Every structure is written in C-alpha cells, then in structure tokens.
Amino acid sequence: MSEPGSLLRSLSGRPAARNFHTFVINEIGVAIVSGKFAVGTILPSDAEMMASYGVSRTVLREALRTLEAKGMVEARPKVGTRVSQRSRWNLFDQQVLAWHFEAELEAEFLVGLFDIRAALETRAADLAARRRTAEQIRLLKYWVHQMELVNGDVESHALAVLEVHRVIAEASGNPLLRSAIGLVELTLALVAVAGSEAERAAARVALTTLSRELIEMIEAGDAPGAVAAMRAIIEFGGRRALEGRRPGAARGTR
C-alpha cells in the first residue's frame, strides 16, 4: 500500500497485486502497528520469519531495512531487530499510515489524525480559493459528480472523495500540502467503514453535499468560506470515525 488510493481500493476486499518484498513489509508493518510485535521487543529470528512468510533471507532483510528507514525497527549486532519506540515512527509515511487501518486505534490517535488534517487542509482550501485554475475547478466538479453517481459503492465513492482533496492540494500550489495525501486517505478509509451500512450510506450522502459546498466556495474565490467548508467536512469525518470506532472488532466492510 504505497500508491495513493491503494488503501481505499482495498475496501472492496479484492486482493491487490503484490510482490514478496511488499508482502513482507506489509505483514510486519501491520504486526508492529497492531501490537502483535510490541514496542521494545525483539522480532523473531530470520529463520522463523522466513518460514512464517515463505520468503528468502534476501527478501526478508530488504523488508527489514525498509522498515528501519521508516523508523519502526532498529537492527542491533548480537541482539537482533528491535521494534522502535512509537515516537521514532515516521507517521507521515503513507505505508505506515495505511497500516494503522488494520489496528485497534485509540481515541487520542484518531483525534490527532483529524487535528493535523484540519491544520493542513484548511490551509490548502484557503490557498486553493485564491490560486485555483479553471481546469482544477473542472476536475473538482467532475469528481464530486462521480461521488453522486457511485454513492452506493463504498470504494468508488471514497476514491472520488480522495481525488477532490488531491486536486485541492494541487490547487494550493504548496508541494508540502500535497504530500499529506496519505493522512487524508487513512481518515477517509476510517470514515468509509464506520458504523452500520445505513449509517455509512447516510454519511456518503452528507459528505457529497459538503464537498459540493466546498467546491462552490473555491470556485467563487471565497477563501474564508472554503476554510469553513473544509473544516465542516473534517469535523464531520472526525465525529464519524470516533462514533464508529469498534475496539477489538473487525472493520465494517473488511
């Protein structure tokens, strides 16, 4: 799950194409985030993990080096590979964020996710209202129309929402804001599966309406209005994610 949209495309349950390297990284990454491999503990030996995941030593070591680069593990001579403290994890890394979808998330972490998203995306909305081009407005209208057309399809609706936010980030003209799309995708996935099927359907309708209002503000060049509309979307999503939180339970559509 390293490409934008990969997490949302998994909501349908369709298996994604993968290679051994990606498979092992995802398996170990999810195990760390979920607590199966607890912070501060030493990972199983190479031989054990090679047998568990059915991969060669080369593939395993490459995966562990990737995880070390993300701050999640630390290899120590004569000790083994230890799971790093959470404070060292690169939580803005798209894969690391995606792995959190499989974990039992604390309310504090969820609140933090939406707080950071609000700080970044309200600024993106402000800039987009000032800098948007006619082509970007056309794309925003196209994607919100797709949200209306595919309302009954969880995955397609969520992907259309993601595209709206990606275009707004592009319209902001700030490359750092564009790099936050992984955080946005995780929150959209959490909202998409929160609650009962009836609640999820109602949430998709509400989100489509809120998104259309946001695009209208951006098209009109109303920066304060765009900021308020973006904040309303994020606050709505934050409430849905917290209300739909099911500690220890499987995700609604997984």
Side-chain angles (χ1 to χ4, degrees):
M1 293 180 189
S2 57
E3 293 298 319
S6 295
L7 174 57
L8 296 179
R9 290 187 186 92
S10 74
L11 297 180
S12 65
R14 292 196 298 267
R18 66 191 184 189
N19 55 43
F20 284 125
H21 178 68
T22 302
F23 166 69
V24 176
I25 292 172
N26 285 336
E27 289 294 305
I28 300 175
V30 169
I32 290 173
V33 171
S34 66
K36 179 181 177 182
F37 295 150
V39 166
T41 61
I42 303 297
L43 293 180
S45 68
D46 284 6
E48 290 177 272
M49 287 199 287
M50 287 161 57
S52 177
Y53 302 126
V55 297
S56 67
R57 186 180 302 275
T58 298
V59 170
L60 175 63
R61 299 313 298 175
E62 287 178 354
L64 291 175
R65 280 194 292 272
T66 299
L67 289 165
E68 189 166 17
K70 296 177 187 292
M72 299 188 73
V73 300
E74 181 183 4
R76 298 184 177 182
K78 300 182 180 180
V79 175
T81 302
R82 187 185 303 276
V83 178
S84 302
Q85 294 298 313
R86 191 179 183 85
S87 60
R88 296 189 59 188
W89 299 1
N90 181 2
L91 291 176
F92 279 92
D93 181 280
Q94 194 156 314
Q95 276 187 309
V96 177
L97 283 167
W99 294 331
H100 281 78
F101 184 71
E102 305 294 340
E104 176 185 329
L105 299 180
E106 297 178 356
E108 182 180 12
F109 183 81
L110 285 174
V111 170
L113 275 177
F114 284 90
D115 277 349
I116 293 299
R117 183 180 163 193
L120 296 173
E121 284 213 292
T122 53
R123 179 57 174 162
D126 176 86
L127 292 173
R130 303 170 192 272
R131 300 173 175 175
R132 76 280 185 267
T133 65
E135 175 61 14
Q136 287 163 341
I137 293 298
R138 186 193 69 78
L139 285 171
L140 288 171
K141 289 182 176 181
Y142 169 81
W143 286 113
V144 80
H145 183 54
Q146 291 302 304
M147 290 167 65
E148 294 168 340
L149 290 177
V150 302
N151 183 53
D153 185 326
V154 175
E155 177 186 312
S156 296
H157 185 272
L159 284 167
V161 178
L162 180 65
E163 285 301 315
V164 166
H165 289 271
R166 186 190 63 77
V167 174
I168 291 172
E170 288 286 340
S172 77
N174 186 326
L176 295 179
L177 292 174
R178 294 199 297 268
S179 69
I181 200 66
L183 185 151
V184 175
E185 183 173 1
L186 172 59
T187 59
L188 293 180
L190 293 169
V191 172
V193 300
S196 67
E197 178 52 46
E199 290 170 331
R200 293 196 295 269
R204 291 194 295 274
V205 172
L207 189 53
T208 299
T209 299
L210 289 169
S211 298
R212 183 170 289 285
E213 292 171 357
L214 169 61
I215 292 167
E216 288 173 355
M217 293 298 102
I218 292 174
E219 182 178 22
D222 183 348
V227 168
M230 179 66 85
R231 191 177 301 280
I233 288 173
I234 295 169
E235 289 178 351
F236 173 80
R239 289 193 301 272
R240 291 289 305 131
L242 284 169
E243 291 167 1
R245 182 169 166 263
R246 300 288 187 269
R251 299 288 181 191
T253 62
R254 300 292 288 173

